[in-house]
Amino acid sequence: MTRLPTPRAVIVIGGGIAGLACAWYAAQDGHRVTLLDRGGPDGDRCSLGNAGMIVPSHFVPLASPGSVKAGLLSLANPRSPLRVAPRFEPEYLRWCWQFLCAARRSRVALAAPALRDLALLSRRGYEALHLLWPQGVPLAEHGMLILCRGRHALHEEREAARMAQRLGMPVEILERDAVAALEPGLDMAIAGAVRYPLDAHTVPQRVVSTLVAGLAEAGVDLRWHTEVTRLRRDGARIAAAVTSDGEVGGDEFVIAAGMWSAALARDIDLPLPLLAGKGYSFTLRSPRVRPHACALLAEARIAVTPMGDALRFAGTMELCGIDPTIDPRRVAAMIDAIPKYYPQLGPADFAGITPWAGLRPCPPDGLPYIGRTRRATNALLATGHAMMGLSLAPATGRVVSDLIAGREPPVPVSLYSPDRFAREHGNARASGS
Ligand SMILES: Cc1cc2nc3c(=O)[nH]c(=O)nc-3n(C[C@H](O)[C@H](O)[C@H](O)COP(=O)(O)OP(=O)(O)OC[C@H]3O[C@@H](n4cnc5c(N)ncnc54)[C@H](O)[C@@H]3O)c2cc1C
């Protein structure tokens, strides 16, 4: 039997999927957990309107040679799925430079197996959560299809599939007829597809509300509408989170505040480069097409996820500042693209949709920040998951709780060190850990 660690007071900042998962695993270890979030339990955050895909297939980080090419092409096209808006602030330019440095084949080769292992650990975490809450954490294990309209995209996806095979990931390359057999009754204008059978999908808003209820039941002190304005230091440690409702002291502090984590990290002198990757989604309540598996429309980079009777479309990655406004041109570009894959759908199907926007927390090298920092002996980071926050949440919670307990995490985590950019600037201050 695994011995439980000595109970400690663990303060988790942020009630998105990353913070909820950290709070859950820490509570399972018997710690006294307090979760602080400036919004309400159902307040809008990136973790609610996303595509709900649990995708071990996404082992190539955003910082890759392919993204650089797509980013450069987007400079001239405000409707392109990946959009790098030209800006001249130093922080933004530094992020772009760090992104370019990381987007090398050799780095992708190093990161891919690590991301695969983290994602597979998380996949197993979802299986366990689904067993615990079969309705609250639905897990549709039908795989994920990457639908390609043209031969060029199919060729590129086949190349990626070969990399997956080299990494030991199951993958199927399918001709058009084979895809049709998997989705009977669904008309698809495609040349073919690549299928990742280990991928799955869920309903993110249901997972979030189930975890919130589960945490309350487990005795976690959930403090909504409590904004952390500052982290107060005492020497090498964080003494307290200064909040809109007074100070909250603790033994360990987990910063899981999504896009807003960088501002909190500054209080412990930790440079945490993050850029918001704005994405949009909209949901058809009674769709005329009902796919079985979730899918990615390759050229349009749009995710399509069945959620009960509804169908959600999500996409675009607009690297920007903290700006949740919705650009109708980008939503229109998504609506224009979808019928090119599903000819049964037309513009009328999307009349009256309510677009949603979320800000993905994107580090320049495409790897999350998970683990302890040398900047404060009792601080841990759990953020920067970019397009993978839902997928990687259980593994993030598990790793963070292992580190709090002093256990070795089940997968290597050194690549996710929150200090990696501090080190790069040669200014990391060892503070006793
Ligand atoms: C369109 C779209 C589609 C996506 N699809 C997928 C997908 O299919 N699969 C996948 O794995 N990922 C997907 N993602 C990415 C995923 O949604 C994110 O990576 C994830 O939600 C990030 O979770 P988080 O907990 O880090 O941040 P958030 O959900 O943003 O939560 C951060 C929380 O911190 C709180 N907070 C911030 N600052 C403070 C403060 N100072 N004090 C107190 N509280 C604070 C906020 O109120 C918020 O509740 C998608 C994202 C988008 C935009």
Side-chain angles (χ1 to χ4, degrees):
M1 208 175 90
T2 330
R3 208 161 51 86
L4 286 178
T6 313
R8 323 201 71 202
V10 176
I11 313 301
V12 178
I13 304 167
I17 191 71
L20 293 172
C22 291
W24 172 253
Y25 285 93
Q28 297 309 294
D29 266 350
H31 297 300
R32 298 183 304 281
V33 182
T34 303
L35 183 136
L36 310 172
D37 195 291
R38 65 177 174 206
D42 50 4
D44 192 22
R45 44 207 192 270
C46 193
S47 301
L48 292 182
N50 64 57
M53 290 186 177
I54 298 160
V55 274
S57 61
H58 281 39
F59 51 76
V60 173
L62 181 64
S64 67
S67 300
V68 173
K69 192 173 143 199
L72 289 173
L73 290 172
S74 82
L75 291 173
N77 179 11
R79 284 166 60 102
S80 80
L82 174 68
R83 170 98 174 119
V84 186
R87 283 168 40 204
F88 300 98
E89 293 116 45
E91 220 170 288
Y92 179 77
L93 293 173
R94 193 176 312 121
W95 188 100
C96 290
W97 173 248
Q98 288 162 332
F99 177 89
L100 285 173
C101 293
R104 285 176 285 122
R105 253 176 236 292
S106 56
R107 258 205 75 88
V108 171
L110 191 72
L115 277 177
R116 170 203 62 194
D117 293 347
L118 192 67
L120 289 174
L121 175 68
S122 227
R123 175 74 167 76
R124 294 194 292 278
Y126 271 110
E127 285 163 30
L129 293 174
H130 174 64
L131 272 181
L132 190 60
W133 294 299
Q135 306 300 322
V137 182
L139 190 64
E141 300 180 280
H142 309 313
M144 192 266 291
L145 286 163
I146 302 188
L147 304 178
C148 304
R149 290 184 64 224
R151 288 274 150 203
H152 179 67
L154 194 56
H155 172 75
E156 288 197 340
E157 291 303 334
R158 284 177 175 168
E159 288 297 309
R162 273 187 264 284
M163 183 173 175
Q165 277 163 340
R166 284 196 295 276
L167 285 172
M169 300 288 283
V171 54
E172 297 159 13
I173 294 169
L174 304 173
E175 292 301 329
R176 195 179 181 286
D177 291 349
V179 188
L182 287 175
E183 294 284 8
L186 191 62
D187 190 9
M188 286 171 286
I190 55 166
V194 171
R195 176 171 184 267
Y196 288 91
L198 271 189
D199 288 359
H201 64 268
T202 188
V203 183
Q205 60 275 31
R206 209 184 298 171
V207 175
V208 164
S209 59
T210 300
L211 277 172
V212 168
L215 289 175
E217 210 166 296
V220 171
D221 182 3
L222 297 165
R223 300 199 196 168
W224 304 107
H225 306 292
T226 305
E227 177 163 16
V228 178
T229 52
R230 188 165 70 81
L231 296 172
R232 185 167 66 74
R233 293 186 75 125
D234 179 11
R237 297 170 55 77
I238 297 176
V242 181
T243 80
S244 49
D245 196 26
E247 287 204 356
V248 181
D251 299 317
E252 302 277 8
F253 290 80
V254 181
I255 302 174
M259 241 334 277
W260 298 270
S261 303
L264 292 169
R266 273 198 286 277
D267 289 343
I268 51 169
D269 301 321
L270 173 67
L272 201 72
L274 277 178
L275 214 58
K278 183 161 41 173
Y280 299 109
S281 76
F282 45 81
T283 306
L284 300 184
R285 301 285 156 209
S286 316
R288 286 194 298 129
V289 299
R290 292 188 180 276
H292 184 57
C294 61
L296 196 61
L297 312 183
E299 294 90 340
R301 309 311 294 171
I302 293 174
V304 186
T305 310
M307 295 188 183
D309 287 339
L311 188 61
R312 178 168 295 171
F313 297 89
T316 92
M317 168 70 89
E318 184 181 355
L319 292 165
C320 60
I322 295 185
D323 166 20
T325 54
I326 290 175
D327 181 345
R329 289 174 304 179
R330 301 185 64 72
V331 179
M334 288 173 67
I335 292 174
D336 288 349
I338 294 162
K340 292 180 183 154
Y341 295 80
Y342 302 113
Q344 287 159 308
L345 292 178
D349 289 279
F350 300 98
I353 54 159
T354 309
W356 167 92
L359 300 177
R360 306 172 180 97
C362 298
D365 60 357
L367 298 176
Y369 299 114
I370 309 174
R372 289 198 180 274
T373 165
R374 287 190 287 156
R375 296 307 176 106
T377 51
N378 59 344
L380 297 105
L381 277 291
T383 189
H385 298 85
M387 323 102 88
M388 290 288 286
L390 180 85
S391 286
L392 297 178
T396 301
R398 168 77 197 273
V399 166
V400 164
S401 70
D402 282 346
L403 294 173
I404 289 173
R407 293 186 299 255
E408 185 71 27
V411 292
V413 292
S414 58
L415 281 181
Y416 313 126
S417 166
D419 290 333
R420 60 191 187 269
F421 290 100
R423 259 202 306 266
E424 186 183 285
H425 289 101
N427 56 358
R429 191 174 59 199
S431 53
S433 65

